[in-house]
Amino acid sequence: MRLVSTMFSSCRCSSAITKTASPVPSLAAFSIPPLRRAFVSFSHLSFTRNSVSSGNLKFCTVSASKSDFQSHSFRHEGGESFFRDVLTSMETVYLNRNPTAKAILELVHSVDDEQICYDHLAFRTFGVNGYGISSIASFFLDYGYTQQEELRFPAKKLKALWFSPPRSSSQDGGSGINGPLPRVFISELLVDQMSPKTQEIIRKYTEKSGSGNKYAALASSLGSLTWEKPLYSEFQQLAGESEYAAWTLVNGYALNHVTISTHRLKSNLRNIKRLNQFIEQNGFKLNSEGGVLKVSPDGLLLQSSTVADSIPFCFSDGVNESVPCSYIEFAERLVLPQYKNLPENEVQEFHRRDGFEVGNADKIFESTSKEQLTRRA
Protein backbone atom coordinates (compact mmCIF):
# COMPACT_ATOMS: atom_id res chain seq x y z
CA MET A 1 0.00 0.00 0.00
CA ARG A 2 1.32 3.41 -0.92
CA LEU A 3 1.78 5.61 2.10
CA VAL A 4 1.31 9.36 1.85
CA SER A 5 3.12 11.36 4.51
CA THR A 6 3.48 15.02 5.41
CA MET A 7 7.04 16.22 5.81
CA PHE A 8 7.89 19.35 7.73
CA SER A 9 11.48 20.45 8.16
CA SER A 10 10.78 22.41 11.32
CA CYS A 11 8.00 23.43 13.69
CA ARG A 12 7.94 27.18 14.05
CA CYS A 13 6.20 28.71 17.05
CA SER A 14 3.82 31.12 15.35
CA SER A 15 0.12 31.83 15.31
CA ALA A 16 -0.39 29.41 12.41
CA ILE A 17 0.15 25.74 11.78
CA THR A 18 3.52 25.29 10.07
CA LYS A 19 3.42 25.33 6.28
CA THR A 20 5.51 23.32 3.88
CA ALA A 21 8.65 24.97 2.56
CA SER A 22 7.71 24.85 -1.10
CA PRO A 23 4.19 25.90 -2.10
CA VAL A 24 1.92 23.42 -3.82
CA PRO A 25 0.18 24.90 -6.85
CA SER A 26 -3.57 25.26 -6.75
CA LEU A 27 -5.64 22.84 -8.79
CA ALA A 28 -6.42 25.92 -10.87
CA ALA A 29 -2.83 25.82 -12.12
CA PHE A 30 -3.28 22.41 -13.76
CA SER A 31 -3.47 22.43 -17.53
CA ILE A 32 -7.02 21.21 -18.03
CA PRO A 33 -9.17 21.48 -21.16
CA PRO A 34 -12.51 23.30 -21.09
CA LEU A 35 -15.57 21.46 -19.80
CA ARG A 36 -17.34 19.30 -22.34
CA ARG A 37 -20.68 19.55 -20.59
CA ALA A 38 -22.66 22.58 -19.50
CA PHE A 39 -23.35 22.98 -15.80
CA VAL A 40 -25.95 25.12 -14.10
CA SER A 41 -24.68 26.55 -10.83
CA PHE A 42 -26.96 27.18 -7.86
CA SER A 43 -28.82 30.42 -7.54
CA HIS A 44 -31.47 31.87 -5.24
CA LEU A 45 -33.63 28.83 -4.55
CA SER A 46 -37.25 28.28 -3.58
CA PHE A 47 -37.26 24.87 -1.96
CA THR A 48 -39.74 22.11 -1.53
CA ARG A 49 -38.74 20.40 1.72
CA ASN A 50 -39.48 16.83 2.74
CA SER A 51 -38.54 15.74 6.27
CA VAL A 52 -37.90 12.24 7.53
CA SER A 53 -37.37 11.68 11.26
CA SER A 54 -35.15 8.94 12.67
CA GLY A 55 -34.68 9.05 16.43
CA ASN A 56 -33.04 12.36 17.30
CA LEU A 57 -32.05 13.02 13.73
CA LYS A 58 -34.10 14.97 11.22
CA PHE A 59 -33.34 14.49 7.56
CA CYS A 60 -34.28 17.17 5.05
CA THR A 61 -34.33 16.83 1.29
CA VAL A 62 -34.66 19.76 -1.08
CA SER A 63 -35.45 20.24 -4.73
CA ALA A 64 -35.76 23.26 -6.96
CA SER A 65 -37.08 24.33 -10.33
CA LYS A 66 -34.97 25.56 -13.23
CA SER A 67 -36.25 29.11 -12.75
CA ASP A 68 -34.90 29.07 -9.18
CA PHE A 69 -31.42 28.42 -10.48
CA GLN A 70 -31.52 31.26 -12.96
CA SER A 71 -32.73 34.07 -10.67
CA HIS A 72 -29.63 34.89 -8.63
CA SER A 73 -26.38 35.94 -10.27
CA PHE A 74 -23.03 37.04 -8.87
CA ARG A 75 -23.70 40.09 -6.71
CA HIS A 76 -20.71 42.30 -7.48
CA GLU A 77 -19.70 42.87 -11.08
CA GLY A 78 -15.93 42.79 -11.24
CA GLY A 79 -15.76 41.19 -7.78
CA GLU A 80 -15.77 37.59 -8.95
CA SER A 81 -12.06 37.61 -9.80
CA PHE A 82 -11.15 38.76 -6.27
CA PHE A 83 -13.57 36.26 -4.72
CA ARG A 84 -12.01 33.37 -6.63
CA ASP A 85 -8.50 34.60 -5.73
CA VAL A 86 -9.43 34.30 -2.06
CA LEU A 87 -10.81 30.79 -2.60
CA THR A 88 -7.62 29.86 -4.48
CA SER A 89 -5.53 30.98 -1.51
CA MET A 90 -7.69 28.89 0.82
CA GLU A 91 -7.26 25.91 -1.51
CA THR A 92 -3.47 26.40 -1.73
CA VAL A 93 -3.12 26.36 2.08
CA TYR A 94 -5.27 23.23 2.13
CA LEU A 95 -3.18 21.44 -0.53
CA ASN A 96 0.11 22.43 1.12
CA ARG A 97 -0.95 20.86 4.40
CA ASN A 98 -2.80 17.80 3.11
CA PRO A 99 -0.76 15.64 0.71
CA THR A 100 -3.51 13.02 0.51
CA ALA A 101 -5.95 15.56 -0.91
CA LYS A 102 -3.38 16.84 -3.41
CA ALA A 103 -2.42 13.31 -4.48
CA ILE A 104 -6.05 12.24 -4.97
CA LEU A 105 -6.91 15.35 -6.99
CA GLU A 106 -3.92 14.66 -9.24
CA LEU A 107 -4.81 10.96 -9.46
CA VAL A 108 -8.43 11.60 -10.48
CA HIS A 109 -7.33 14.30 -12.92
CA SER A 110 -4.91 11.84 -14.55
CA VAL A 111 -7.78 9.54 -15.59
CA ASP A 112 -8.83 10.67 -19.05
CA ASP A 113 -7.62 14.19 -18.24
CA GLU A 114 -10.60 14.55 -15.89
CA GLN A 115 -12.21 17.92 -15.24
CA ILE A 116 -12.74 18.24 -11.47
CA CYS A 117 -15.58 20.26 -10.00
CA TYR A 118 -16.11 20.89 -6.30
CA ASP A 119 -19.45 20.02 -4.73
CA HIS A 120 -18.79 22.02 -1.58
CA LEU A 121 -16.19 23.56 0.72
CA ALA A 122 -16.47 22.98 4.49
CA PHE A 123 -15.36 25.00 7.53
CA ARG A 124 -15.49 24.43 11.31
CA THR A 125 -16.04 27.19 13.89
CA PHE A 126 -16.61 27.90 17.59
CA GLY A 127 -20.15 29.09 18.33
CA VAL A 128 -19.10 31.75 20.85
CA ASN A 129 -18.04 35.43 20.92
CA GLY A 130 -19.02 35.93 17.26
CA TYR A 131 -16.67 33.17 16.10
CA GLY A 132 -19.41 30.85 14.87
CA ILE A 133 -20.96 30.24 11.46
CA SER A 134 -21.60 33.92 10.75
CA SER A 135 -17.91 34.82 11.00
CA ILE A 136 -16.96 32.88 7.86
CA ALA A 137 -20.41 33.00 6.23
CA SER A 138 -20.33 36.80 5.98
CA PHE A 139 -17.66 36.63 3.29
CA PHE A 140 -19.71 34.27 1.12
CA LEU A 141 -22.96 36.18 1.71
CA ASP A 142 -21.24 39.40 0.61
CA TYR A 143 -20.43 37.74 -2.71
CA GLY A 144 -23.89 36.45 -3.52
CA TYR A 145 -24.23 33.17 -1.64
CA THR A 146 -27.65 32.33 -0.18
CA GLN A 147 -28.29 30.70 3.20
CA GLN A 148 -30.18 27.42 3.05
CA GLU A 149 -30.92 24.56 5.46
CA GLU A 150 -29.80 24.23 9.09
CA LEU A 151 -28.66 20.83 10.34
CA ARG A 152 -28.36 19.76 13.99
CA PHE A 153 -26.05 17.16 15.53
CA PRO A 154 -27.16 16.77 19.19
CA ALA A 155 -24.68 14.06 20.14
CA LYS A 156 -21.73 16.09 18.84
CA LYS A 157 -23.15 19.39 20.15
CA LEU A 158 -22.94 20.93 16.68
CA LYS A 159 -25.11 22.78 14.24
CA ALA A 160 -24.44 23.66 10.61
CA LEU A 161 -25.76 25.78 7.78
CA TRP A 162 -25.12 25.39 4.08
CA PHE A 163 -25.06 28.11 1.47
CA SER A 164 -25.83 27.91 -2.24
CA PRO A 165 -23.61 29.81 -4.70
CA PRO A 166 -24.66 32.46 -7.19
CA ARG A 167 -24.48 32.04 -10.92
CA SER A 168 -21.08 33.16 -12.13
CA SER A 169 -19.62 34.33 -15.42
CA SER A 170 -17.36 31.28 -15.60
CA GLN A 171 -19.76 28.64 -14.31
CA ASP A 172 -19.54 26.63 -17.54
CA GLY A 173 -15.76 26.25 -17.61
CA GLY A 174 -12.71 25.75 -15.48
CA SER A 175 -11.74 23.23 -12.87
CA GLY A 176 -11.56 23.19 -9.08
CA ILE A 177 -11.84 26.71 -7.67
CA ASN A 178 -12.02 28.07 -11.24
CA GLY A 179 -14.93 25.79 -12.08
CA PRO A 180 -18.61 26.06 -11.07
CA LEU A 181 -18.77 27.77 -7.68
CA PRO A 182 -19.24 25.18 -4.91
CA ARG A 183 -21.77 25.08 -2.12
CA VAL A 184 -20.39 26.05 1.29
CA PHE A 185 -21.03 24.01 4.47
CA ILE A 186 -20.20 25.75 7.77
CA SER A 187 -20.58 24.10 11.16
CA GLU A 188 -20.10 25.41 14.70
CA LEU A 189 -19.54 23.89 18.12
CA LEU A 190 -22.32 24.79 20.56
CA VAL A 191 -19.83 25.95 23.18
CA ASP A 192 -22.47 26.66 25.85
CA GLN A 193 -23.23 22.92 25.93
CA MET A 194 -19.65 21.90 26.69
CA SER A 195 -18.13 21.32 30.13
CA PRO A 196 -17.10 24.42 32.14
CA LYS A 197 -13.39 23.63 31.63
CA THR A 198 -13.71 23.29 27.86
CA GLN A 199 -15.81 26.46 27.68
CA GLU A 200 -13.17 28.31 29.66
CA ILE A 201 -10.41 27.29 27.24
CA ILE A 202 -12.38 28.18 24.11
CA ARG A 203 -13.52 31.53 25.51
CA LYS A 204 -9.97 32.31 26.62
CA TYR A 205 -8.60 32.08 23.08
CA THR A 206 -11.50 33.64 21.21
CA GLU A 207 -11.59 36.58 23.65
CA LYS A 208 -7.84 37.13 23.34
CA SER A 209 -8.30 37.17 19.55
CA GLY A 210 -10.05 40.52 19.77
CA SER A 211 -11.74 41.24 16.44
CA GLY A 212 -10.23 38.21 14.73
CA ASN A 213 -13.68 36.88 13.86
CA LYS A 214 -14.06 39.76 11.40
CA TYR A 215 -11.16 38.39 9.38
CA ALA A 216 -12.10 34.72 9.16
CA ALA A 217 -11.79 34.53 5.37
CA LEU A 218 -8.41 36.27 5.51
CA ALA A 219 -7.20 33.86 8.20
CA SER A 220 -8.34 30.91 6.11
CA SER A 221 -6.59 32.20 2.99
CA LEU A 222 -3.35 32.82 4.91
CA GLY A 223 -3.43 29.60 6.91
CA SER A 224 -3.21 31.56 10.16
CA LEU A 225 -4.95 31.25 13.51
CA THR A 226 -6.67 34.40 14.74
CA TRP A 227 -5.82 33.46 18.35
CA GLU A 228 -2.66 32.45 20.20
CA LYS A 229 -1.35 28.92 19.99
CA PRO A 230 -2.76 26.86 22.87
CA LEU A 231 -1.03 24.83 25.55
CA TYR A 232 -0.78 21.12 24.81
CA SER A 233 -2.72 20.34 28.00
CA GLU A 234 -5.58 22.51 26.74
CA PHE A 235 -5.62 20.69 23.41
CA GLN A 236 -5.78 17.40 25.32
CA GLN A 237 -8.67 18.68 27.44
CA LEU A 238 -10.68 19.54 24.35
CA ALA A 239 -9.75 16.33 22.54
CA GLY A 240 -11.01 14.28 25.49
CA GLU A 241 -14.44 15.88 25.21
CA SER A 242 -14.81 16.80 21.53
CA GLU A 243 -12.39 16.01 18.72
CA TYR A 244 -14.20 18.74 16.75
CA ALA A 245 -13.27 21.30 19.43
CA ALA A 246 -9.63 20.15 19.52
CA TRP A 247 -9.41 20.25 15.71
CA THR A 248 -10.77 23.79 15.56
CA LEU A 249 -8.45 25.01 18.33
CA VAL A 250 -5.33 24.16 16.27
CA ASN A 251 -6.67 24.58 12.71
CA GLY A 252 -8.95 27.59 13.12
CA TYR A 253 -10.69 28.68 9.91
CA ALA A 254 -8.61 26.48 7.61
CA LEU A 255 -10.61 24.50 5.06
CA ASN A 256 -11.77 21.34 6.80
CA HIS A 257 -12.31 19.64 3.45
CA VAL A 258 -13.16 20.10 -0.21
CA THR A 259 -15.51 17.72 -1.97
CA ILE A 260 -15.19 16.33 -5.48
CA SER A 261 -18.50 16.25 -7.35
CA THR A 262 -18.28 12.73 -8.74
CA HIS A 263 -21.30 12.88 -11.06
CA ARG A 264 -19.61 15.75 -12.91
CA LEU A 265 -16.68 13.53 -13.88
CA LYS A 266 -16.75 12.14 -17.39
CA SER A 267 -14.99 8.78 -16.87
CA ASN A 268 -16.39 5.71 -15.10
CA LEU A 269 -15.25 7.35 -11.85
CA ARG A 270 -18.44 9.40 -11.97
CA ASN A 271 -19.95 6.45 -10.08
CA ILE A 272 -18.89 6.97 -6.46
CA LYS A 273 -18.63 3.25 -5.73
CA ARG A 274 -16.11 2.83 -8.55
CA LEU A 275 -14.28 5.97 -7.38
CA ASN A 276 -14.05 4.60 -3.83
CA GLN A 277 -12.64 1.33 -5.14
CA PHE A 278 -10.17 3.19 -7.36
CA ILE A 279 -8.94 5.30 -4.43
CA GLU A 280 -8.51 2.31 -2.12
CA GLN A 281 -6.69 0.35 -4.83
CA ASN A 282 -4.22 3.22 -5.00
CA GLY A 283 -3.38 2.88 -1.31
CA PHE A 284 -5.60 5.49 0.36
CA LYS A 285 -7.74 4.83 3.43
CA LEU A 286 -11.39 5.89 3.41
CA ASN A 287 -13.41 6.84 6.48
CA SER A 288 -15.18 3.63 7.54
CA GLU A 289 -17.54 5.16 10.13
CA GLY A 290 -21.03 3.91 9.31
CA GLY A 291 -19.60 2.17 6.24
CA VAL A 292 -17.37 3.64 3.56
CA LEU A 293 -20.37 4.82 1.53
CA LYS A 294 -22.78 7.14 3.35
CA VAL A 295 -26.27 7.13 1.77
CA SER A 296 -29.13 9.54 2.52
CA PRO A 297 -32.54 8.08 3.48
CA ASP A 298 -33.92 8.91 0.03
CA GLY A 299 -30.95 7.16 -1.61
CA LEU A 300 -30.13 10.20 -3.75
CA LEU A 301 -27.09 11.65 -1.93
CA LEU A 302 -24.02 9.39 -1.75
CA GLN A 303 -20.89 10.50 0.11
CA SER A 304 -17.50 9.16 1.21
CA SER A 305 -14.24 10.67 2.45
CA THR A 306 -10.62 9.90 3.21
CA VAL A 307 -9.12 9.86 6.69
CA ALA A 308 -7.52 13.20 7.61
CA ASP A 309 -3.81 13.83 7.27
CA SER A 310 -1.82 14.69 10.40
CA ILE A 311 0.78 17.43 10.76
CA PRO A 312 3.22 18.43 13.52
CA PHE A 313 2.16 21.34 15.70
CA CYS A 314 4.34 23.37 18.06
CA PHE A 315 2.24 24.24 21.12
CA SER A 316 2.88 27.40 23.15
CA ASP A 317 4.59 25.43 25.93
CA GLY A 318 7.12 24.00 23.44
CA VAL A 319 5.49 20.59 23.11
CA ASN A 320 5.65 19.22 19.56
CA GLU A 321 2.88 16.79 18.73
CA SER A 322 1.06 15.52 15.67
CA VAL A 323 -2.49 16.88 15.24
CA PRO A 324 -5.23 16.04 12.71
CA CYS A 325 -5.48 18.32 9.69
CA SER A 326 -7.93 18.02 6.78
CA TYR A 327 -9.29 15.44 4.34
CA ILE A 328 -11.04 15.18 0.99
CA GLU A 329 -14.63 14.13 0.39
CA PHE A 330 -16.57 12.74 -2.59
CA ALA A 331 -20.26 13.29 -3.34
CA GLU A 332 -22.59 11.90 -5.98
CA ARG A 333 -25.99 13.57 -6.35
CA LEU A 334 -28.50 11.42 -8.20
CA VAL A 335 -31.32 12.65 -10.43
CA LEU A 336 -34.55 13.55 -8.62
CA PRO A 337 -37.50 11.19 -9.23
CA GLN A 338 -39.47 13.78 -11.23
CA TYR A 339 -36.60 13.97 -13.75
CA LYS A 340 -35.71 10.28 -13.93
CA ASN A 341 -36.91 9.95 -17.54
CA LEU A 342 -34.71 12.76 -18.84
CA PRO A 343 -32.02 11.66 -21.33
CA GLU A 344 -28.64 11.64 -19.59
CA ASN A 345 -27.24 14.32 -21.90
CA GLU A 346 -30.05 16.69 -20.83
CA VAL A 347 -29.57 16.28 -17.07
CA GLN A 348 -28.24 19.43 -15.41
CA GLU A 349 -27.32 20.19 -11.81
CA PHE A 350 -30.77 21.47 -10.83
CA HIS A 351 -32.25 18.11 -11.84
CA ARG A 352 -30.23 16.42 -9.10
CA ARG A 353 -30.60 16.00 -5.34
CA ASP A 354 -29.53 19.15 -3.52
CA GLY A 355 -28.78 19.92 0.12
CA PHE A 356 -27.16 17.82 2.85
CA GLU A 357 -28.12 15.06 5.30
CA VAL A 358 -27.55 14.92 9.04
CA GLY A 359 -26.95 11.17 8.93
CA ASN A 360 -24.30 11.41 6.21
CA ALA A 361 -22.58 14.49 7.62
CA ASP A 362 -22.46 13.02 11.12
CA LYS A 363 -20.29 10.16 9.82
CA ILE A 364 -18.18 12.39 7.58
CA PHE A 365 -17.23 14.47 10.65
CA GLU A 366 -15.43 11.35 11.93
CA SER A 367 -12.77 11.70 9.22
CA THR A 368 -10.66 13.68 11.71
CA SER A 369 -11.35 11.45 14.73
CA LYS A 370 -8.61 9.61 16.60
CA GLU A 371 -10.25 6.27 15.80
CA GLN A 372 -10.08 6.89 12.05
CA LEU A 373 -6.57 8.37 12.21
CA THR A 374 -5.38 5.31 14.12
CA ARG A 375 -6.78 3.09 11.35
CA ARG A 376 -4.58 4.98 8.93
CA ALA A 377 -1.30 4.19 10.72
Side-chain angles (χ1 to χ4, degrees):
M1 181 176 75
R2 177 160 60 89
L3 298 177
V4 180
S5 61
T6 311
M7 299 300 295
F8 288 79
S9 58
S10 64
C11 183
R12 296 189 296 272
C13 294
S14 64
S15 62
I17 295 175
T18 309
K19 299 181 185 179
T20 50
S22 56
V24 179
S26 165
L27 186 64
F30 295 168
S31 178
I32 300 176
L35 280 175
R36 299 178 186 176
R37 297 189 304 275
F39 299 131
V40 175
S41 186
F42 302 96
S43 58
H44 191 58
L45 308 178
S46 300
F47 291 103
T48 299
R49 184 185 310 174
N50 302 306
S51 298
V52 180
S53 296
S54 177
N56 293 325
L57 303 181
K58 184 178 181 181
F59 304 97
C60 295
T61 62
V62 292
S63 59
S65 68
K66 183 175 181 179
S67 60
D68 292 327
F69 285 83
Q70 295 177 332
S71 63
H72 192 59
S73 58
F74 208 86
R75 186 167 295 169
H76 297 292
E77 291 184 15
E80 183 177 347
S81 177
F82 168 75
F83 178 77
R84 288 186 184 269
D85 283 347
V86 174
L87 295 190
T88 297
S89 294
M90 291 178 179
E91 180 195 46
T92 299
V93 170
Y94 167 81
L95 294 176
N96 279 340
R97 293 179 178 175
N98 300 282
T100 294
K102 180 177 183 292
I104 286 177
L105 287 168
E106 291 174 344
L107 182 66
V108 173
H109 170 64
S110 72
V111 178
D112 296 335
D113 203 28
E114 273 288 14
Q115 189 89 6
I116 295 174
C117 297
Y118 289 153
D119 180 87
H120 65 274
L121 309 178
F123 301 85
R124 294 182 178 185
T125 69
F126 287 135
V128 67
N129 297 334
Y131 279 81
I133 291 171
S134 61
S135 60
I136 191 74
S138 61
F139 172 71
F140 292 94
L141 291 171
D142 282 348
Y143 283 90
Y145 273 68
T146 306
Q147 180 179 315
Q148 303 297 345
E149 301 289 327
E150 179 181 288
L151 296 86
R152 290 273 177 168
F153 306 85
K156 286 184 169 64
K157 298 180 174 61
L158 305 174
K159 77 172 183 179
L161 287 170
W162 73 274
F163 301 79
S164 58
R167 287 190 303 117
S168 73
S169 61
S170 54
Q171 65 180 23
D172 294 333
S175 185
I177 292 301
N178 284 335
L181 288 172
R183 301 166 184 81
V184 169
F185 182 95
I186 310 173
S187 55
E188 72 175 32
L189 181 72
L190 301 174
V191 177
D192 289 345
Q193 297 182 19
M194 308 305 291
S195 70
K197 182 61 177 176
T198 291
Q199 287 192 48
E200 180 185 347
I201 293 169
I202 293 172
R203 292 178 188 277
K204 167 186 171 181
Y205 286 99
T206 55
E207 287 171 3
K208 283 186 176 181
S209 178
S211 300
N213 59 310
K214 296 179 180 179
Y215 307 102
L218 177 60
S220 181
S221 64
L222 292 175
S224 300
L225 294 175
T226 62
W227 48 76
E228 299 174 358
K229 290 188 309 167
L231 297 169
Y232 181 55
S233 59
E234 294 170 325
F235 173 79
Q236 288 181 304
Q237 164 66 30
L238 267 59
E241 185 173 348
S242 165
E243 83 64 33
Y244 181 106
W247 189 96
T248 306
L249 186 67
V250 295
N251 287 281
Y253 290 110
L255 269 172
N256 178 254
H257 64 270
V258 304
T259 301
I260 293 177
S261 179
T262 67
H263 59 270
R264 284 169 154 167
L265 299 173
K266 62 178 180 289
S267 69
N268 65 350
L269 297 183
R270 63 186 287 110
N271 178 290
I272 195 169
K273 292 180 181 178
R274 286 195 289 267
L275 178 60
N276 288 342
Q277 183 180 25
F278 175 70
I279 288 168
E280 289 184 315
Q281 287 174 345
N282 278 274
F284 297 100
K285 278 286 187 181
L286 295 177
N287 172 0
S288 63
E289 183 70 21
V292 167
L293 186 64
K294 287 72 164 141
V295 183
S296 62
D298 61 11
L300 299 177
L301 177 59
L302 314 177
Q303 294 169 274
S304 60
S305 61
T306 64
V307 175
D309 281 314
S310 295
I311 62 174
F313 187 88
C314 183
F315 290 89
S316 62
D317 51 3
V319 176
N320 292 279
E321 286 291 338
S322 179
V323 299
C325 202
S326 304
Y327 57 95
I328 189 166
E329 184 188 325
F330 319 99
E332 181 178 0
R333 298 179 181 275
L334 302 184
V335 176
L336 293 165
Q338 60 266 40
Y339 303 120
K340 66 181 180 180
N341 295 323
L342 272 179
E344 185 176 353
N345 62 356
E346 294 182 16
V347 174
Q348 299 185 59
E349 195 67 14
F350 69 86
H351 295 127
R352 297 182 180 276
R353 169 69 153 79
D354 203 1
F356 293 84
E357 285 291 342
V358 166
N360 285 18
D362 185 70
K363 303 301 186 294
I364 294 291
F365 275 126
E366 296 297 317
S367 295
T368 55
S369 70
K370 182 177 180 180
E371 180 181 349
Q372 292 297 318
L373 266 67
T374 302
R375 282 185 61 248
R376 185 184 180 84

